[in-house]
Amino acid sequence: MRLPSLASIFRLGLKELKSLWADKTLLLLICWAFSGAIYEAATGVSQELNNAPVAIVDEDRSPLSQRIADAFYPPYFRQPAMIRLAEVDAGMDSGRYNFVLVIPANFQRDVLAGKSPDLQLNIDATIMSQAFIGANYIRSIALGEIAEYLTGTRAAAAAPVRLSSRVLFNPNLKGFWFGGVMEAINNVTMLTIILVGAAFIREREHGTVEHLLVMPLTPFEIMLAKIWANGLAVLIGVSFALAVMVERVLAVPIAGSLPLFLGAAACYLFAAASIGIFLGTLARSMPQFGLLVILCIIPLMLLSGGVSPRESMPQFIQDLMLAAPTTYFVRLAQAILYRGAGLDVVWPDLAAMSAVGAVFFVIALLRFRKAVTQTQV
């Protein structure tokens, strides 16, 4: 058994890069994934309240009720629509209003008399996270205006304790800071699996597998060549995404070391590429490979902690996903890019990811050798 030839791996990798350059569809996918998709993911889905349509039913028509109505203004809310009580259900059913505040008759009189009158807030909960945020905003606005009307100040009554909040890593609580960076992290997984698996399918469809088999190449060398060539394209793409799209275009600061993240991503590429090669050996055509990729990538993205915290998932899912290298990669990537963690912090995840990735690499190599043997037969 001869040792792997670095020269053969390098030359075969160059052939992979030339094949990738000739495949304009995959090139377009790479360009979009690390440019337009980053911007779209960051700005297309807003986690903050923005221009929410609100209506007010003012049955009191007093200076206090007018004061509350005037307190709603952009960018959080649109100019409130003043409607009648009979229009509430129709407005909510049609989606014209996300929030409807009902101020009852004699509201100002009851407030001045020391009573505790109720304000009714109708909320369209189909807007999910914004429903909760908007309800808190409206509550703060109403209570603040009432307090200022009665006492001349918006300060609340003294509490027995004082809670001082200190917001770290995202002081303005901007949701798009999370979306753009996570899209770049997730696209490393997606494109690595797609590019490496598609490279194997392309060899089979073009009939060049037989050419490789008659050359003095081992399956190990073929796999390494595909991994380094396609991995290089992914690393260049994610470097552009973070340095240009995230830091320049979106103006999102990267807290940690970009070289450290790229080094960790290079280690992760072996695991993700091994998954792509394994799927490529199972599929017989590009459409089959596409279906397998969907079944594989979606669980990896949804359950690895990139979309929602792993702690909120069932314990069985948390334990199961420890066998996936994506779990460790997402966790260390977030630590580096969001919180500025160094190697002394992320090395346990890096070691675990490398170990799990080595297992995936061995499994893919065994499957690849079997596929090559079947082709020779």
Side-chain angles (χ1 to χ4, degrees):
M1 181 178 178
R2 69 180 183 85
L3 295 176
S5 170
L6 294 180
S8 298
I9 295 173
F10 177 73
R11 293 192 184 96
L12 190 56
L14 293 180
K15 181 194 77 70
E16 290 293 330
L17 289 176
K18 292 179 181 178
S19 298
L20 179 60
W21 180 257
D23 194 330
K24 303 306 180 185
T25 301
L26 285 179
L27 278 180
L28 182 62
L29 175 63
I30 296 174
C31 294
W32 168 256
F34 289 120
S35 57
I38 303 296
Y39 185 84
E40 183 181 25
T43 60
V45 180
S46 176
Q47 300 295 327
E48 296 86 23
L49 197 68
N50 186 41
N51 288 327
V54 60
I56 295 178
V57 178
D58 187 2
E59 296 187 329
D60 189 35
R61 299 190 180 279
S62 63
L64 178 57
S65 64
Q66 185 61 45
R67 184 188 187 105
I68 294 175
D70 292 340
F72 293 88
Y73 46 79
Y76 298 123
F77 299 97
R78 297 178 186 173
Q79 186 70 27
M82 308 304 294
I83 63 176
R84 295 178 292 108
L85 186 61
E87 301 176 67
V88 173
D89 289 343
M92 297 290 288
D93 291 344
S94 63
R96 289 199 303 272
Y97 313 120
N98 294 151
F99 305 95
V100 176
L101 181 65
V102 180
I103 304 176
N106 303 318
F107 175 72
Q108 177 177 294
R109 186 189 66 184
D110 292 342
V111 169
L112 293 175
K115 299 180 181 180
S116 299
D118 291 333
L119 289 174
Q120 183 187 77
L121 179 60
N122 299 276
I123 305 171
D124 180 3
T126 60
I127 58 175
M128 297 186 296
S129 62
Q130 293 192 0
F132 177 77
I133 297 173
N136 286 333
Y137 280 3
I138 293 174
R139 180 178 181 274
S140 298
I141 290 172
L143 293 181
E145 293 299 326
I146 293 171
E148 188 171 3
Y149 179 79
L150 294 176
T151 65
T153 176
R154 302 180 72 90
V161 296
R162 184 176 63 187
L163 178 65
S164 298
S165 299
R166 180 167 169 248
V167 181
L168 301 178
F169 316 122
N170 187 359
N172 295 324
L173 300 177
K174 296 179 179 179
F176 72 88
W177 281 28
F178 178 83
V181 176
M182 276 314 307
E183 183 72 8
I185 295 174
N186 288 333
N187 283 348
V188 171
T189 300
M190 180 188 71
L191 284 177
T192 302
I193 293 177
I194 291 177
L195 291 181
V196 178
F200 183 81
I201 298 293
R202 187 167 53 236
E203 299 276 13
R204 177 180 293 167
E205 291 183 341
H206 293 174
T208 54
V209 174
E210 290 77 6
H211 297 169
L212 294 177
L213 296 178
V214 299
M215 297 176 65
L217 296 172
T218 64
F220 181 80
E221 292 171 341
I222 297 174
M223 278 187 58
L224 281 186
K226 293 184 181 299
I227 290 175
W228 84 255
N230 293 282
L232 178 62
V234 173
L235 287 178
I236 293 175
V238 75
S239 300
F240 173 83
L242 294 176
V244 178
M245 297 303 301
V246 173
E247 286 195 297
R248 304 296 183 192
V249 178
L250 297 173
V252 177
I254 300 298
S257 169
L258 188 57
L260 176 60
F261 167 76
L262 294 178
C267 295
Y268 172 69
L269 287 175
F270 281 89
S274 299
I275 296 174
I277 291 176
F278 180 79
L279 296 179
T281 59
L282 294 178
R284 289 315 213 181
S285 63
M286 199 66 78
Q288 282 187 3
F289 175 70
L291 293 176
L292 289 175
V293 166
I294 293 174
L295 293 176
C296 178
I297 287 181
I298 292 179
L300 287 178
M301 289 184 177
L302 293 180
L303 303 179
S304 62
V307 177
S308 60
R310 295 186 66 249
E311 292 75 15
S312 64
M313 302 177 190
Q315 188 61 44
F316 170 74
I317 297 297
Q318 296 185 43
D319 296 337
L320 179 64
M321 289 305 294
L322 291 177
T326 312
T327 300
Y328 306 101
F329 177 63
V330 168
R331 190 157 59 192
L332 70 85
Q334 290 178 339
I336 295 172
L337 299 178
Y338 290 151
R339 299 185 290 275
L343 183 60
D344 58 325
V345 174
V346 302
W347 74 263
D349 285 327
L350 184 60
M353 180 187 70
S354 301
V356 175
V359 174
F360 274 85
F361 183 83
V362 172
I363 294 174
L365 180 59
L366 294 176
R367 175 66 191 178
F368 185 72
R369 282 177 175 170
K370 182 179 179 180
V372 169
T373 303
Q374 292 174 346
T375 304
Q376 287 176 321
V377 174

